[in-house]
């Protein structure tokens, strides 16, 4: 950062100031002083010029109000920013709260204890509470509306300071003795704070200031110190929280008056006075430190006694109360930023996130890309690339974060492109305090060593190859050097690597590099110059001042040095031969030139001229050519780039006010004087004079300007000469082409096109009746929309091929913008089937795609692609058609297999005599069975019309479920499904016989042939013959239970009796238990007794179960004799005159009548009267006809 005094305001009547506070949000400055002085000021900038934004804008006092009310000296002023209130207190203990009303400040509340004087007041972070401490130990906590929350007397304590914690849960009280006590927000004592920074200090000390940064602007690091406590003897400690055992210690070696954090907790300002040892005189200074105790800058302030210090809300200015004056100092922060490839890269912190938010703002397209980086240290840019240096994440995988020493690396360098995509990264052990970058190397330096990484940017490598490049051994692409190394050029690799960490007495303080030179600056003022890429120490230079910033010009002949105090000097690195050869005077390399500028905080050499540079001095930008300055420009921007006599500058202060929405207004281009003068000469005087001026001040940009002016006037000779001077080969060619044209209007039209005035050029061509040239120009520009209009406006027939090309061009325009519907219209007109197919696919217009496939001729090269499109969305039939149309039956079969359409696959394989389908099917089925996907295998066989194989698997599943004693309904469903597969098999055999016979024989013959074939082919006759047996068994098992629950006990008993035929399907114990239950309910105890006899004789039962059945039988048959009320067996006989009677599947009773209904699917019967109540067959659930 750089700081300089910028403004001074005098208080009338020489009244000395005692305190000062700057409202961070609204910008009011309150200052209190002797004799009851209290003023509120406001500085505002009024400017319409975009360049004069920020600090460069003139600032005037928009408010200067004296607040009457205090009689004694005002000692404490503090703002409540959330509620726009000002609280002040004087030496008599009077407290006044002021409020803003219609642009002026008025008293709102007054309070006076009349006992003691107020030493400190502090509002908490949300502005809801104020804590007031009195010298006599009294503490009062009040609310924003004036109510007292609590009060307390701390006996025997003299209070001097108070501070709230960011979460308002803790209060810190600073005692007059120098102790700090920690209390909770209700006033209960917790503990004394350990003040370890006073170790070894002599004499009485008092606290100069306590400031606890509340985190409103985020933190520079995840665990950043934020509580600063400073004593009047200059000792200071910065803590992370109130009982931090490892605080940061600072000894400022000065008498401290006041301290304050800036808006984002990145800089602590310590104000006071410094005694010069050899003089008795003291002078006022403000020292600036990081939260980690690193000294940044010192600001000397005139005057005798400094009494207060306060930061502005944006951290760009600081106000100092000295005697009867307020001094303002401007601050140029060290933003983390860079510029590469027309992209501004900048970083900022957010309160809600621990990481830095790094924004890559593409200024050309006004697009931004955001990346979050933890513990970011710096941003460095060069060419098209950017390097982010940060602390390595502890969670990083170990193998990636290994460093040279084998231990986990502590820092990481990430190489990114201009949109923030990481291209490569390197883990290193040295602290990258200073980083510079060239087109081939990244150089990072700690205080004692520097590290060289020759990066490779894989423009044409695949991601895999990039990965291999990063994994390869370093092989000379990375090297470490110690600054005191005796063998410059020898790498500190291998066993000597530890030397890199050896401390040095003269640390590195800055570095810079170009493609061939590296310069390292040291704190003593010494400069080391090395050659690149082999890193050989060429020369050492010495200077009296410690360099803060170094920069080499484009040919490495001159070095610019800005020292710690903002003094810019130049150093010649290469011998420049003097013009006066006779005297033999030569400027020896290393001789510092006489050039000096003060208060410089930024500078940039031109990329294309070694004698041209721009620099920022306070709020002015100067451009120097051969050390002669041009008139300055008022601006406070940071210089991005200096090229082609144009300076690009970015107003980072304005961007940081709203970093999420960067505005193009904050990017400014300045043209330097020679460019402005040349333009003025060309416009006002003439080409010849301008040519002479440019001859004296040559630059490619100026020659280009001249060439363009000459072209406009069709002065081809001058234009050609100028194009030659600026080495513009296309320009030379263009002038030659113009020379070959005879017609003057034709030349003018071509020149208009050259300058991008295309509409004008087209109208000129049309005026000359050269429609063809107008069309060619539109085609060159890719402006296809206007080509059809031009073609149609012609008198003759329009060129069909050109028209098609134009329509396709328009189609491409819409396709590039993903407007597929519009693209389709033009591709149809342009007969572009390939792009049309792609558009239909993206629009999911599969009907259109199908129609396109149908319209294409056979064996068209697009058909396989369309087939593949249908495959990806699972449209099998359409894909098959496409493949068959281009004569690829194999692909069609593969598609069917892929989409599980096995029946279609088998059919296609048969049609096209493909042998491998059967083996493929069995292979896939066995694969499914191995993975226990039996149902999927069944589905597979069913779709492939291998019904018998499917049925076998289905019966297997049903048998297993039955053994598991699953729900009977589920088992029935499985048996029905298996039986239906067998029925499908019967149908298939019958159909195949019909096809073979081709309609010559009767139905009966087909059936007989079918049955004979079944007998010949089926190995498992049980499955084919008794397919419905399992389904029947479970159907009647369920029916009996339904009848029993419904109270039809006799029917239930008869159905249960019928179940005895199915002992091979349902376990006997289930059947006879059900029969015993039903017959007992029906009071048919004879049947019940037989059932019990059967149960007791079952071998599958254990003795305990058998005993239980015997006990139950005893209980029943002691009460009821084992006799049926009426003959069950006879009634339940299913034997008729013609053998076995069919059983009704509705009632479970034998059918005695001849009129009966038979199901067309399962061939089971029912009484017509009963089935009329049903819409589906009770057994197989097929609809009743």
């Amino acid at each position: 950062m750089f700081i300089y005094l910028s403004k001074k305001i005098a208080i009338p009547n020489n009244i000395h100031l005692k305190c000062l506070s700057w409202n961070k949000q609204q910008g009011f400055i309150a200052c209190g002083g002797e004799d009851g002085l209290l003023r509120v000021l406001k500085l505002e900038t009024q400017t319409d010029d975009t360049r004069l934004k920020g600090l460069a804008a003139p600032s005037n006092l928009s408010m200067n109000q004296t607040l009457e009310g205090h009689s004694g000296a005002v000692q404490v002023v503090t703002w409540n920013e959330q509620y726009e209130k000002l609280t002040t207190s004087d030496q008599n203990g009077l407290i006044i709260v002021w409020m803003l009303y219609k642009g002026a400040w008025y008293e709102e509340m007054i309070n006076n204890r009349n006992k003691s004087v107020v030493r400190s007041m502090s509002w908490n972070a949300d502005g809801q509470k104020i804590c007031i401490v009195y010298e006599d130990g009294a503490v009062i906590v009040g609310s924003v509306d004036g109510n007292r929350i609590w009060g307390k007397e701390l006996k025997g304590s003299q209070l001097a300071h108070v501070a709230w914690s960011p979460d308002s849960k803790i209060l810190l009280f600073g005692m007059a003795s120098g102790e700090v006590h920690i209390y909770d927000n209700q006033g209960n004592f917790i503990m004394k704070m350990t003040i370890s920074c006073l170790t070894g200090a002599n004499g009485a000390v008092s606290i100069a200031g306590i400031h606890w940064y509340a985190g409103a602007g985020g933190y520079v690091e995840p665990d950043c110190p934020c509580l600063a406590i400073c004593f009047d003897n200059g000792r200071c400690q910065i803590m992370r929280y109130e009982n931090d055992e490892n605080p940061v210690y600072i000894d400022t070696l000065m008498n401290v008056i006041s301290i304050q954090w800036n808006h984002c907790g990145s800089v602590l300002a310590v104000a006071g006075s410094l005694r010069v040892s050899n003089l008795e005189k003291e002078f006022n200074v403000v020292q600036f430190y990081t939260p980690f105790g690193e000294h940044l800058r010192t600001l000397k302030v005139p005057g005798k006694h400094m009494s207060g210090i306060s930061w502005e809300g944006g951290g760009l200015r600081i106000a100092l109360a000295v005697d009867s004056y307020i001094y303002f100092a401007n601050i140029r922060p060290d933003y983390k930023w860079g510029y590469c490839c027309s992209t501004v890269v900048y970083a900022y912190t957010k309160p809600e996130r621990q990481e830095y938010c790094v924004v890559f703002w593409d200024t050309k397209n006004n697009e931004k890309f955001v990346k979050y980086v933890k513990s970011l240290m710096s941003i460095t840019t060069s060419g098209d690339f950017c390097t982010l240096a940060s602390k390595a994440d502890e969670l990083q995988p170990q193998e990636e974060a290994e460093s040279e020493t084998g231990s986990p690396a502590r820092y990481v360098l990430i190489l990114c492109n201009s949109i923030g995509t990481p291209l490569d990264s390197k883990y290193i052990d040295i602290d990258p305090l200073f980083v510079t970058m060239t087109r081939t190397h990244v150089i990072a330096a700690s205080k004692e060593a520097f590290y060289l990484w020759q990066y490779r940017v894989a423009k044409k490598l695949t991601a895999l190859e990039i990965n291999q490049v990063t994994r390869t051994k370093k092989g000379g692409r990375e090297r470490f050097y110690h600054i005191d190394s005796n063998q410059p050029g020898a790498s500190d690799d291998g066993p000597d690597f530890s030397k890199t960490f050896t401390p040095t007495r003269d640390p590195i303080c800055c570095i810079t590099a170009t493609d061939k030179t590296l310069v390292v600056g040291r704190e003593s003022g010494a400069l080391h110059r090395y050659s690149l890429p082999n890193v050989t120490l060429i020369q050492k230079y010495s200077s009296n001042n410690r360099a803060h910033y170094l920069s080499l010009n484009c040919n490495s002949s001159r070095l610019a040095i800005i020292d710690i105090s903002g003094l810019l000097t130049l150093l010649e690195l290469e011998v420049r031969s003097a013009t006066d050869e006779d005297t033999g005077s030569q400027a020896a390399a290393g001789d510092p030139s006489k050039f000096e500028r003060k208060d410089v905080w930024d500078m940039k050499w031109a990329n294309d001229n070694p004698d041209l540079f721009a620099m920022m001095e306070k709020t002015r930008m100067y451009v120097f050519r051969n050390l002669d300055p041009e008139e300055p420009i008022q601006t406070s921007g940071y210089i991005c780039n200096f090229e082609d006599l144009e300076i690009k500058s970015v107003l980072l202060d304005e961007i940081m006010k709203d970093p999420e929405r960067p505005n193009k207004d904050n990017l400014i281009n300045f043209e330097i004087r020679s460019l402005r003068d040349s333009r003025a000469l060309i416009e006002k005087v003439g080409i010849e004079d301008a040519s002479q001026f440019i001859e004296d001040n040559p630059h490619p940009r100026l020659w280009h300007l001249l060439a363009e002016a000459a072209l406009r006037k069709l002065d081809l000779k001058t234009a050609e000469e100028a194009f030659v001077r600026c080495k513009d080969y296309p320009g030379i060619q263009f002038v030659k082409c113009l020379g070959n044209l005879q017609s003057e209007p034709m030349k003018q039209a071509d020149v208009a096109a050259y300058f991008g005035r295309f509409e004008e050029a087209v109208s000129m061509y049309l005026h000359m009746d050269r429609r063809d040239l107008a069309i060619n120009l539109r085609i060159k520009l890719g402006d296809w929309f206007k080509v059809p209009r031009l073609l149609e406006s012609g008198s003759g027939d329009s060129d069909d091929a050109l028209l098609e090309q134009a329509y396709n061009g328009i189609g491409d325009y819409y396709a590039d913008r993903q407007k597929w519907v519009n693209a389709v219209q033009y591709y149809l007109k342009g007969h572009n089937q390939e792009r049309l197919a792609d558009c239909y696919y993206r629009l999911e217009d599969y009907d259109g795609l199908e129609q396109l496939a149908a319209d294409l001729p056979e064996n068209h090269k697009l058909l396989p692609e369309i087939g593949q499109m249908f495959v990806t969305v699972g449209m099998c039939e359409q894909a098959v058609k496409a493949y068959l149309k281009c004569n690829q039956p194999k692909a069609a079969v593969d598609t069917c297999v892929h989409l599980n359409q096995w029946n279609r696959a088998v059919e296609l394989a048969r049609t096209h005599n493909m042998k491998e389908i059967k083996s493929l099917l069995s292979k896939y089925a066995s694969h499914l069975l191995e993975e226990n996907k039996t149902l999927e295998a069944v589905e597979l066989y069913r779709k492939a019309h291998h019904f018998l194989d499917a049925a076998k698997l289905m019966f297997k599943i049903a048998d297993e479920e039955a053994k598991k004693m699953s729900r009977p309904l589920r088992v029935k469903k499985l048996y029905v499904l298996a039986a239906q597969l067998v029925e499908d098999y019967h149908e298939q055999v019958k159909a195949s016989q019909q096809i073979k016979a081709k309609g010559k024989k009767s139905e009966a013959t087909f059936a007989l042939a079918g049955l004979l074939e079944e007998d010949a082919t089926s190995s498992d006759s049980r499955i084919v013959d008794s397919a419905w047996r399992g389904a029947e068994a479970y159907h009647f098992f369920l029916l009996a239970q339904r009848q029993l629950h419904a109270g039809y006990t006799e029917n239930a008993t008869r159905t249960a009796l019928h179940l005895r035929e199915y002992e091979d399907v349902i376990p006997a114990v289930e059947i006879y238990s059900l029969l015993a239950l039903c017959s007992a309910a029906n009071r048919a105890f004879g049947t019940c007794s037989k059932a019990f006899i059967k149960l007791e004789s079952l071998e599958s039962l254990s003795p305990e179960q058998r005993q239980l059945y015997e006990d139950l039988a005893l209980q029943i048959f002691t009460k009821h004799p084992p006799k049926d009320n009426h003959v069950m067996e006879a009634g339940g006989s299913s034997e008729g005159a013609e053998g076995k009677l069919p059983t009704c599947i509705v009632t479970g009773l034998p059918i005695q009548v001849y009129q009966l209904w038979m199901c067309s699917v399962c061939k089971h019967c029912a009484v017509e009267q009963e089935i009329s109540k049903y819409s589906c067959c009770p057994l197989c659930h097929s609809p009743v006809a």
Side-chain angles (χ1 to χ4, degrees), residues 352-369:
E352 68 272 16
R353 284 193 81 122
Q354 289 192 334
E355 307 99 322
Y356 267 92
C357 179
V358 182
V359 178
F360 291 78
W361 175 37
D362 179 355
T363 57
K364 210 178 259 179
N365 307 320
N366 204 17
E367 289 181 319
K368 78 183 180 34
F369 307 90

Side-chain angles (χ1 to χ4, degrees), residues 709-1013:
L711 271 181
R712 282 193 184 93
K713 296 190 175 178
L714 293 181
D715 181 352
L716 300 188
K717 184 173 178 294
T718 312
E720 186 172 14
E721 215 172 276
F723 276 133
V724 168
R725 296 295 286 272
C726 64
K727 298 176 182 171
D728 184 347
Y729 184 70
I732 298 166
Q733 293 294 96
F734 177 66
V735 172
K736 280 189 177 170
C737 292
L738 281 182
N740 295 335
L741 295 172
Q742 301 304 316
S743 155
E744 194 79 7
M746 192 74 83
K747 285 182 185 177
Q748 284 173 342
D750 279 8
V751 169
Y754 178 80
F755 285 120
R757 301 197 306 273
F758 303 117
E759 297 301 327
E760 195 182 314
V762 167
S763 64
M764 282 179 173
Y765 286 138
L766 291 173
H767 191 66
M768 289 183 276
D769 203 20
R770 289 302 303 270
R771 196 165 56 99
D772 57 329
L773 293 176
I775 290 169
N776 281 344
L777 179 61
R778 289 292 180 205
I779 290 173
K780 269 185 198 169
L781 293 171
D783 189 357
W784 294 105
F785 286 93
K786 291 180 181 165
V787 174
R789 283 185 220 158
L790 285 169
L791 285 167
E792 286 157 13
S793 68
S795 51
D797 293 333
S798 62
D799 185 348
D800 289 347
L802 207 55
L803 198 59
E804 274 191 17
Q805 190 187 351
Y807 285 138
N808 285 328
I810 297 170
D812 290 342
Y813 170 86
Y814 283 124
D816 289 344
R817 283 152 188 78
Q818 298 189 353
K819 295 182 176 176
W820 308 111
V821 178
N822 305 43
V824 164
Q825 296 169 8
Y826 286 99
Y827 285 140
L828 279 168
K829 287 182 185 176
H831 306 298
N832 190 339
Q833 286 134 336
E834 288 180 26
R835 299 291 285 141
L836 204 52
D838 186 43
C839 289
Y840 281 142
Y841 181 58
R842 288 173 187 278
L843 282 169
E844 298 180 16
D845 180 2
Y846 302 117
D847 295 337
L849 198 58
E850 195 174 351
Q851 187 57 48
L852 179 65
D855 293 345
L856 288 174
E858 286 191 5
N859 293 328
H860 192 279
K861 62 174 183 180
L862 195 58
L863 284 167
E865 285 179 35
I866 293 175
Q868 187 53 39
M869 287 175 186
F870 283 128
V871 171
T872 55
V873 291
M875 296 175 75
C876 183
E877 199 52 47
Q878 289 85 341
V880 167
K881 279 181 190 169
Y883 282 128
L884 291 179
K885 195 168 184 182
C886 62
N887 202 14
Q888 292 188 9
K890 174 84 173 67
V893 170
D894 290 345
T895 296
C896 295
V897 170
H898 175 64
L899 297 174
N900 276 337
Q901 301 295 322
W902 289 91
N903 48 351
R904 188 84 173 95
V906 174
E907 193 183 306
L908 283 169
R910 282 186 189 141
T911 314
H912 294 90
N913 294 325
M914 294 168 80
K915 301 282 184 283
E916 68 270 14
I917 189 69
K918 189 112 184 184
S919 61
L920 201 66
L921 188 67
S922 56
K923 221 185 264 180
Y924 185 48
S926 58
H927 164 71
L928 287 172
L929 291 170
E930 274 171 27
E931 291 189 352
N932 253 349
K933 294 180 178 174
T934 321
L935 280 170
E936 281 90 333
V938 171
E939 184 67 3
L940 173 72
Y941 277 133
R942 194 177 74 80
K943 281 190 172 176
H945 292 198
H946 286 225
F947 295 117
L948 197 58
D949 292 326
K952 283 178 189 172
L953 287 175
M954 206 65 230
F955 276 119
K956 194 178 166 191
I957 294 169
D959 291 345
E960 282 172 7
E961 287 293 314
K963 276 181 195 154
K964 282 191 212 164
M965 305 291 284
S966 291
R967 292 202 341 268
L969 186 59
R970 175 179 168 78
V971 181
K972 177 194 166 181
K973 284 177 183 176
L974 292 169
Y975 274 124
V976 167
L977 196 54
Q980 280 185 334
L981 286 167
V982 174
E983 292 300 328
D984 288 342
Y985 168 67
H986 290 318
E987 289 296 321
Q988 187 187 23
V989 172
K990 194 170 162 189
S992 69
Q993 282 304 318
Q994 272 181 344
I995 291 161
K996 280 180 193 172
K998 288 180 185 167
K1000 288 179 188 171
K1001 299 175 187 174
S1002 67
E1003 281 282 331
T1005 324
F1006 296 145
L1008 186 63
L1011 289 169
L1012 288 170
E1013 189 181 329

Side-chain angles (χ1 to χ4, degrees), residues 419-450:
I419 58 167
T421 309
L423 304 174
D424 202 350
S425 62
K426 282 287 171 274
Y427 289 86
I428 56 173
D429 259 334
I430 69 166
D431 191 351
L433 298 172
F434 316 102
V435 184
T436 187
M437 194 176 173
T438 71
R439 284 182 302 180
T440 51
H441 289 79
V442 173
I443 301 127
S446 64
K447 289 193 171 178
E448 56 277 316
F450 59 92

Side-chain angles (χ1 to χ4, degrees), residues 95 111 113 120 122 130-134 137-143 147-153 159 162 164 171 173:
I95 301 170
N111 180 21
R113 259 178 88 233
S120 182
S122 176
I130 187 171
C131 183
I132 304 165
V133 298
Y134 290 83
V139 179
I140 295 171
V141 174
S143 68
N147 295 322
R148 180 177 170 138
I149 296 172
W150 57 266
K152 193 162 188 159
E153 300 267 346
L159 294 174
V162 63
W164 288 93
L171 278 165
F173 294 128

